[in-house]
Amino acid sequence: MKVFGIQRLTGIILAAAMLGAPIASPALAQEAAAPAVEAVVAETTVVETAPEAAPAEAPAEEEPTLDTGDTSWLLTSTALVLAMTIPGLALFYGGMVRGKNVISTVAQCFAITAVISVVWMVAGYSLAFSENSSAALNPYVGGLSAFLLNGISMDDLSGTIPQFLFVVFQMTFAVITPALIVGAFAERMKFSAILLFMVLWSLIVYSPICHWVWGGGFLSEMGVLDFAGGTVVHINAGIAGLVCALVLGKRKGFGAENMAPHNLVLTMIGASLLWVGWFGFNAGSAVGANGLAAVAMLNTQVATAAAVVAWMAIEWFERKKPGMLGLASGAVAGLVAITPAAGFVTPQGALIVGFVGGAAAYAGAVWLKKALKYDDSLDVFGVHGVAGIAGALLTGVLASSAVAGEAAEGANVVTQFVGIIGTIAWCAIATFVILMICKFTVGLRVSEDEEVEGLDLSQHGESLHH
């Protein structure tokens, strides 16, 4: 490359101007002035030669920096999701059981919150979100490099938020998923068995499936879409609940005795807390205070409201009276159905998801359970399993590039269906094995006398005074 002094450079520019070369842009000037440059160069007697320029280096990637807005929203979302389990789910379930089992039901939700928080911190997070040192195993489960959160410091970031915040945000998801299962075996499982089951289930079922979808596992590589937990949380919990209900068998007096909810006001309060907390669940999964979080929040509200209307309409037509339990169940069905789709569909799509999810959950909780005569006490499979499946499939149909960008381009029902089947298969098999481990160690079910007495007294030595 040839370089000239200031005077020579000035002469080149003047020559180019005299020949009519445009110099509006450097690139155009360089091309149009080439003949003039050659003429000037021919007349020069002294030419300085510079060494060849080094290849241009690629611009350095900007290191991620903490965003206080994103961090504030995730701190808020984490608190909202925790409130979904305690007190939200505890009250929702507590109001639906009989009076003699209220304390045991809320105690199970409370204890699970504590136990699984410890399990997640010790090993669950690592199994879900770290990379496995074995390339063959990494598509299916993470490793133990983050055991006891080893190697993570206060200054480490996950995107634009502290990694510790991401850990605790995901912890609240790990807490509510096994807690949902409680509703399937309500009023008949030993407290010791519940705790053992939940620890093993969290490590063997929840963490690996979380890795499949959100931790870089094989379902993620396939393009399975699950924005906030339709597969990881609701289908997973719904299938586990169904297996538990079938293995434990029906409650004593099921189909013959009155097992109506003892306090639907508690159930309404619990459902309301779930509805509010779900904004942290879905909008929080945008992992930032941004437009995607706003879309997810709007979609959550629209779908939930549509599902309530759908459930109420069907129940009103069939039973001639719409009930509070139906309204609450419809709301949860809508929340479940929109969870996988919240950040992938438009509000118009969310309306469809809500109507379909509400109707599908009614069919699962009322018609399917009655036809097959299994005792899923509080309709965990009927609502969470069925609405979760409906929402996951509809995500493949309704995902919009206007919301999800490139992620929506590969969305399809076949891929979503494969994700659903994979989750069902592993969850069902592993749940059954864990139940057998519990059965042959601490035992699964309370005695007949203890069940008649009620789990409040037989398991906790406490009773609800009316």
Side-chain angles (χ1 to χ4, degrees):
M1 180 178 180
K2 301 189 177 184
V3 180
F4 305 92
I6 298 295
Q7 293 178 342
R8 298 295 184 187
L9 183 59
T10 304
I12 292 171
I13 296 173
L14 289 173
M18 291 170 62
L19 292 171
I23 55 173
S25 75
L28 289 174
Q30 185 179 18
E31 293 175 6
V37 172
E38 290 174 3
V40 175
V41 169
E43 294 177 2
T44 59
T45 56
V46 180
V47 178
E48 297 177 3
T49 304
E52 286 191 19
E57 294 183 3
E61 291 185 9
E62 291 186 12
E63 291 192 10
T65 57
L66 185 141
D67 186 291
T68 55
D70 292 348
T71 300
S72 297
W73 172 234
L74 262 293
L75 287 165
T76 303
S77 295
T78 300
L80 286 169
V81 181
L82 179 60
M84 289 171 65
T85 305
I86 50 171
L89 186 68
L91 291 174
F92 181 69
Y93 281 172
M96 286 196 284
V97 296
R98 289 170 289 178
K100 61 184 180 180
N101 295 312
V102 179
I103 293 173
S104 67
T105 301
V106 299
Q108 288 163 19
C109 292
F110 204 90
I112 287 169
T113 300
V115 171
I116 300 304
S117 293
V118 173
V119 170
W120 184 252
M121 180 267 175
V122 172
Y125 176 79
S126 188
L127 292 171
F129 288 101
S130 72
E131 186 172 342
N132 198 306
S133 57
S134 167
L137 291 177
N138 191 58
Y140 309 105
V141 66
L144 291 175
S145 60
F147 183 77
L148 283 170
L149 303 184
N150 178 54
I152 304 175
S153 73
M154 186 176 72
D155 297 325
D156 289 337
L157 296 181
S158 176
T160 58
I161 65 170
Q163 190 169 356
F164 276 150
L165 177 53
F166 182 73
V167 171
V168 70
F169 178 62
Q170 288 295 333
M171 181 185 287
T172 58
F173 283 65
V175 162
I176 195 170
T177 307
L180 291 171
I181 305 171
V182 164
F185 53 67
E187 304 189 309
R188 59 196 187 277
M189 193 169 179
K190 294 173 66 174
F191 188 67
S192 56
I194 290 171
L195 296 183
L196 177 58
F197 173 85
M198 294 304 173
V199 170
L200 295 175
W201 193 86
S202 181
L203 293 172
I204 297 171
V205 180
Y206 180 81
S207 288
I209 291 179
C210 182
H211 182 78
W212 295 359
V213 179
W214 294 334
F218 76 99
L219 291 185
S220 173
E221 292 296 321
M222 287 177 55
V224 171
L225 300 180
D226 186 0
F227 189 73
T231 301
V232 177
V233 177
H234 298 292
I235 297 175
N236 208 4
I239 295 301
L242 179 61
V243 173
C244 286
L246 294 174
V247 170
L248 267 79
K250 300 173 184 178
R251 288 167 289 177
K252 180 176 173 56
F254 179 74
E257 297 179 9
N258 180 13
M259 295 185 176
H262 92 287
N263 191 332
L264 285 177
V265 173
L266 289 183
T267 297
M268 187 280 295
I269 295 171
S272 302
L273 287 166
L274 284 169
W275 192 331
V276 173
W278 224 288
F279 292 126
F281 202 78
N282 285 355
S285 292
V287 198
N290 50 41
L292 185 59
V295 171
M297 179 173 278
L298 176 59
N299 286 345
T300 300
Q301 182 70 14
V302 169
T304 305
V308 171
V309 172
W311 189 299
M312 177 175 62
I314 297 171
E315 186 177 54
W316 207 337
F317 178 80
E318 185 178 46
R319 295 180 59 241
K320 309 306 179 188
K321 293 179 181 178
M324 181 62 240
L325 180 59
L327 294 172
S329 299
V332 174
L335 292 164
V336 170
I338 196 59
T339 292
F344 296 121
V345 303
T346 63
Q348 294 84 358
L351 191 68
I352 297 171
V353 170
F355 281 129
V356 174
Y362 185 92
V366 179
W367 299 334
L368 183 64
K369 187 169 77 167
K370 186 181 295 184
L372 300 181
K373 295 181 170 56
Y374 57 84
D375 186 12
D376 176 2
S377 307
L378 309 180
D379 299 315
V380 177
F381 174 71
V383 173
H384 293 273
V386 173
I389 291 170
L393 291 174
L394 287 171
T395 302
V397 176
L398 299 170
S400 168
S401 58
V403 175
E406 292 182 4
E409 293 177 4
N412 62 81
V413 174
V414 174
T415 301
Q416 295 298 103
F417 183 73
V418 170
I420 292 167
I421 294 300
T423 300
I424 290 174
W426 176 246
C427 179
I429 294 169
T431 299
F432 178 79
V433 171
I434 294 168
L435 286 170
M436 292 301 102
I437 293 172
C438 295
K439 180 177 181 178
F440 293 108
T441 52
V442 297
L444 275 179
R445 188 163 175 161
V446 298
S447 68
E448 189 172 302
D449 290 341
E450 289 174 327
E451 188 175 342
V452 171
E453 182 183 33
L455 273 61
D456 290 1
L457 280 171
S458 67
Q459 297 296 294
H460 304 282
E462 297 168 323
S463 61
L464 188 66
H465 298 287
H466 297 283

